[in-house]
Amino acid sequence: MANGPIDALDVRLLTTMRANPRIGLTELARLLGVARGTVQARVDKLTSRGVIGDFGPTIDPTEVGYPILAFVSLQISQGRLAEAVEALGLVPEILEVHGTSGQADLLCRVVAHNTAHLQQIIAQVLASPAVQRTDTTIALSTQIPYRIDPLLHTAAGGSSPRKAPQEPAVTRQVRSGQVLG
């Protein structure tokens, strides 16, 4: 297996591991119809390449008291990106931060206990002199949750079943803590 695309066995292995997160290598080998050594070698290679990022449980923030999900775009003061990222790293409710193109410099995935708590988080972010402006969108529902299996099939040269979402996602925009209609 080269450092290039994944193959059909990799897809079967990854999708089976995702469907059965507590599965052992022996059972995985049995389900795939390959030798345990093959499974071990594939898992090791996929892990060393970074295809498999972790083996930890997926935690639902809602179930630990953070039912509000928001996406916060930030405009950063010129030359102060590192300072902004350092400040954001100190806020535990900020789950991810991505550098982006377009009007915003960073996009943050944020969770909160409620909208008042979200407003406090945004105020904390804006307290950094490196952050010029925020634009916040609260997710009201999740129409398509995070998924990877269709992409795995496509990456291996197969086709993935195309299924349109049942209805469009609905969001409300909040700019610096004020709800816009």
Side-chain angles (χ1 to χ4, degrees):
M1 179 172 67
N3 282 342
I6 58 177
D7 64 19
L9 179 57
D10 292 333
V11 171
R12 289 178 44 225
L13 180 131
L14 292 167
T15 57
T16 303
M17 288 176 71
R18 287 183 43 76
N20 305 283
R22 298 176 70 172
I23 195 168
L25 294 177
T26 303
E27 179 64 9
L28 187 56
R30 187 189 69 73
L31 288 174
L32 297 175
V34 298
R36 186 196 177 288
T38 300
V39 169
Q40 180 70 61
R42 292 287 180 128
V43 169
D44 290 347
K45 286 180 184 178
L46 290 168
T47 302
S48 69
R49 284 180 46 204
V51 174
I52 297 175
D54 65 54
F55 293 90
T58 300
I59 309 298
D60 182 351
T62 299
E63 298 304 321
V64 293
Y66 295 85
I68 302 295
L69 170 64
F71 298 94
V72 182
S73 300
L74 306 178
Q75 290 180 354
I76 305 302
S77 298
Q78 189 73 25
R80 297 180 91 170
L81 179 63
E83 180 185 345
V85 170
E86 184 177 339
L88 296 171
L90 298 175
V91 182
E93 296 87 355
I94 297 177
L95 304 181
E96 295 178 88
V97 178
H98 301 274
T100 59
S101 63
Q103 290 186 355
D105 299 302
L106 298 174
L107 178 65
C108 306
R109 181 176 173 212
V110 180
V111 292
H113 297 299
N114 51 46
T115 55
H117 183 222
L118 178 61
Q119 189 168 7
Q120 290 171 353
I121 295 165
I122 294 167
Q124 184 178 356
V125 168
L126 285 167
S128 169
V131 177
Q132 288 183 327
R133 184 180 188 303
T134 67
D135 183 28
T136 303
T137 301
I138 297 175
L140 298 179
S141 64
T142 299
Q143 300 298 318
I144 300 176
Y146 177 82
R147 62 192 184 143
I148 195 73
D149 293 358
L151 182 64
L152 292 175
H153 290 284
T154 300
S159 62
S160 109
R162 303 283 183 196
K163 184 178 177 185
Q166 293 179 358
E167 60 184 69
V170 179
T171 58
R172 279 178 22 184
Q173 284 210 337
V174 180
R175 293 198 194 274
S176 299
Q178 295 186 9
V179 177
L180 300 177

